Amino acid sequence: MTHADRLAPLRAEAARVNQTPLRDLIADDPARARDFALRVGPIHANFARQRYDREALDTLFRLGESLDFDARLKALFEGEEVNVTERRPALHTALRSDVADSETAHASNAMARDAREAMRAVVDAIRTSGVTDVVSVGIGGSDLGPRLAVDALSPPGGGAVRVHFLSNVYGHAAQRVLAGLDPSRTAALLISKSFGTQETLLNGRLLRDWLGNDSRLYAISANVSRAADFGIPAERILPMWDWVGGRYSMWSAVGLPIAIAIGMDGFEALLDGAAEMDAHVLVEPVRRNLAAWHALTAVWNRNALELASQGVLPYDERLRLLPNYLQQLVMESLGKSVRIDGSEVGVETVPVWWGGPGTDTQHSFFQALHQGTTAVPCDFVGVARADAPFRDNHDALLSNLLAQSEAFANGQDSDDPHRRYPGGRPNTMLLLDALTPRSLGSLIAMYEHSVYLQSVVWGINAFDQFGVELGKQIANTLLPAVRGESEADDAVTRALIDEIAAQR
Ligand code: F6P
């Protein structure tokens, strides 16, 4: 049976469910508020406002069961070659959990533990050496996870050591980060799995020159020889491995900026939260498995309701970078049109993921979400307990969060078409008890597993990213042309380079 054939029953269910407005689906079955919800550790997830009913949900769960979600998760955890095109496992789970049976997974877990010892030593060295600022240089998976966690978990005003991030090759980015920093009290981390990424190497050289002292330069890389060639001695190179994908790597030494910002114990609590989610997804059956439920809901919205984008709306300023992080995790993993065997997928795969924090975004793009012609399913992420002192603000935030979720789903009739809200906008509520390293770790691990299970439904590889290579190759060939040393082959590019040259 092809993947498209497997998805056909979902379309039939959608045609049936679509005849009833979402507000009626909810009103006719009030128990779904409780039955369509799950608690896993510090996360309460509620799917009651998704546009399916019990029958459709049952069809979805049967899809997950027929695709052996449990066995596929086991294969991931055991270190099977799930990254088929690059012939390697994707063992990010071993960075935080030792729940698998295989030698490979145990060995990977032991390597990760050793690396954490090395991280602890670096954190101690940095925190006790008078360093006040750390600049973390990296991009994509070597940036977005640490950046999110540092932003989310740092105490207000920053910790004892301030952590800054430099990803973009744009010169002003470096200028802005370095402005106000003292080279004699700053350390730099060059994070690059390949140690061959143009942006990171350029910014790394810039930092090396600016520091004027190599002893505060560290590397985190799977390519030790390239890091050594760059001039970083072995004792200041922390490991990465080819069995961890860049966008799944924040649990490794790539998370060093997190450990510096919140302490090594805080970093380990982040890992514990992820491990808690690992333990859940590995043992719970599809119908009680949060990642499976989340993944199947994504498939329902994409393939049955044919919705082309997905919003993520964190209602907590500290999670404002979650959409950026998820864009890479989800879209780099699932932005594929061929299956693992090279054949066309034949169904739509990843939607466009986008979003931003509430309540700011209520005053920017929510108009389109409420009354635009295209429904956008959304994940709301809320935090029940505030850590900030201003209780009234948090109450207002929570009431806005609940109001928007309700308004999207139920809408409101009016005789005036301009004041009518169609409703039927499906959304999931992910409520964290509090924002802690543990809850953030659990949340991110849930998304990782959901992404993997979506890839299982579509039969695609979630762990390669060949799509990003072509642009990099062309940029390399164009560099001499931009410098005026050669001519670009492409006529449009040539004309654009002429325009640029005229302005320089
Ligand atoms: O954007 C492409 C990519 O290859 C990502 O997958 C990766 O996280 C990023 O570049 C950075 O790569 P590296 O860690 O090797 O510098």
Side-chain angles (χ1 to χ4, degrees):
M1 195 192 282
T2 68
H3 286 253
D5 292 341
R6 278 185 201 278
L7 296 176
L10 299 186
R11 289 204 197 90
E13 284 296 312
R16 181 183 60 75
V17 169
N18 272 339
Q19 309 201 342
T20 312
L22 177 54
R23 80 174 76 89
D24 293 344
L25 290 176
I26 297 168
D28 295 348
D29 182 5
R32 58 190 268 156
R34 189 196 56 233
D35 295 347
F36 284 24
L38 267 184
R39 169 165 286 279
V40 182
I43 303 177
H44 169 85
N46 196 309
F47 297 91
R49 291 193 172 121
Q50 287 296 335
R51 212 196 298 165
Y52 41 50
D53 60 7
R54 286 175 196 265
E55 231 175 297
L57 186 56
D58 182 62
T59 307
L60 265 181
F61 285 146
R62 277 189 278 117
L63 172 68
E65 287 157 357
S66 74
L67 287 165
D68 296 324
F69 269 11
D70 49 354
R72 301 303 298 272
L73 282 162
K74 181 107 178 114
L76 175 82
F77 278 75
E78 294 298 341
E80 283 181 28
E81 218 175 68
V82 289
N83 182 354
V84 177
T85 51
E86 297 179 300
R87 311 208 54 192
R88 55 199 188 208
L91 267 170
H92 44 282
T93 49
L95 300 172
R96 63 229 183 179
S97 296
D98 197 13
V99 282
D101 297 321
S102 71
E103 276 302 310
T104 319
H106 286 313
S108 301
N109 181 264
M111 286 186 235
R113 243 180 299 133
D114 289 347
R116 283 205 292 282
E117 285 313 306
M119 284 173 77
R120 196 175 275 282
V122 174
V123 173
D124 287 347
I126 286 182
R127 286 185 150 205
T128 55
S129 62
V131 165
T132 54
D133 295 272
V134 167
V135 180
S136 175
V137 181
I139 198 163
S142 295
D143 171 64
L144 291 162
R147 198 190 276 260
L148 162 67
V150 168
D151 198 48
L153 301 173
S154 294
V161 178
R162 288 180 296 263
V163 179
H164 313 263
F165 291 89
L166 179 55
S167 55
N168 206 327
V169 74
Y170 188 52
H172 277 180
Q175 262 190 329
R176 283 182 181 171
V177 167
L178 299 180
L181 300 190
D182 174 356
S184 69
R185 306 190 71 181
T186 301
L189 317 176
L190 308 193
I191 307 181
S192 176
K193 180 176 168 184
S194 60
F195 227 83
T197 303
Q198 184 188 44
E199 295 92 326
T200 303
L201 293 182
L202 280 165
N203 282 329
R205 282 186 208 112
L206 198 148
L207 252 293
R208 189 180 55 191
D209 296 345
W210 178 84
L211 279 177
N213 177 346
D214 288 356
S215 70
R216 277 176 276 104
L217 198 56
Y218 297 84
I220 294 98
S221 185
N223 199 327
V224 176
S225 62
R226 278 198 191 152
D229 290 347
F230 190 89
I232 303 178
E235 65 275 15
R236 273 188 274 115
I237 303 174
L238 275 67
M240 250 287 266
W241 308 276
D242 67 358
W243 43 266
V244 178
R247 56 192 173 273
Y248 298 87
S249 68
M250 63 185 281
W251 324 100
S252 69
V254 168
L256 187 59
I258 309 169
I260 291 169
I262 66 168
M264 197 60 199
D265 292 347
F267 179 71
E268 291 195 328
L270 183 83
L271 269 49
D272 290 345
E276 204 171 342
M277 186 57 66
D278 290 342
H280 165 82
V281 302
L282 197 53
V283 301
E284 289 298 330
V286 168
R287 286 161 200 264
R288 302 303 304 159
N289 188 311
L290 178 51
W293 201 331
H294 189 273
L296 291 166
T297 299
V299 168
W300 171 261
N301 283 327
R302 188 71 184 111
N303 299 123
L305 302 183
E306 298 180 342
L307 302 176
S309 85
Q310 164 74 42
V312 53
L313 306 168
Y315 268 65
D316 192 304
E317 182 81 3
R318 296 170 296 176
L319 290 172
R320 64 191 162 170
L321 298 180
L322 185 64
N324 306 41
Y325 171 80
L326 289 178
Q327 278 178 330
Q328 190 204 14
L329 178 68
V330 184
M331 293 170 75
E332 198 165 80
S333 298
L334 300 176
K336 318 282 162 70
S337 355
V338 293
R339 295 166 29 157
I340 282 172
D341 64 7
S343 60
E344 291 293 325
V345 181
V347 294
E348 297 291 348
T349 60
V350 75
V352 174
W353 275 65
W354 60 290
T359 61
D360 298 86
T361 47
Q362 290 177 200
H363 304 273
S364 58
F365 57 69
F366 269 45
Q367 166 63 35
L369 298 186
H370 283 292
Q371 289 189 317
T373 48
T374 308
V376 179
C378 291
D379 280 2
F380 283 98
V381 183
V383 180
R385 283 198 302 273
D387 294 320
F390 311 112
R391 173 76 194 231
D392 289 351
N393 288 44
H394 197 61
D395 290 349
L397 184 72
L398 289 176
S399 61
N400 274 282
L401 163 71
L402 298 170
Q404 294 297 336
S405 165
E406 190 179 309
F408 280 165
N410 298 348
Q412 192 176 68
D413 271 338
S414 169
D415 293 339
D416 177 353
H418 299 286
R419 292 181 166 78
R420 190 178 158 263
Y421 299 82
R425 274 54 175 153
N427 61 85
T428 294
M429 181 66 69
L430 297 166
L431 266 186
L432 311 183
D433 296 345
L435 182 57
T436 60
R438 174 178 164 236
S439 67
L440 183 65
S442 279
L443 180 73
I444 295 174
M446 190 285 290
Y447 273 109
E448 287 180 344
H449 292 308
S450 171
V451 164
Y452 172 61
L453 292 175
Q454 289 172 62
S455 81
V456 169
V457 174
W458 290 322
I460 59 181
N461 183 359
F463 302 109
D464 62 14
Q465 61 284 319
F466 295 112
V468 302
E469 293 306 321
L470 175 61
K472 289 187 200 173
Q473 281 164 26
I474 299 178
N476 281 336
T477 62
L478 288 182
L479 195 54
V482 169
R483 288 184 180 136
E485 295 161 7
S486 67
E487 273 227 319
D489 292 338
D490 182 276
V492 178
T493 305
R494 245 188 345 262
L496 291 169
I497 288 177
D498 289 346
E499 273 302 319
I500 293 169
Q503 301 305 327
R504 290 182 117 187

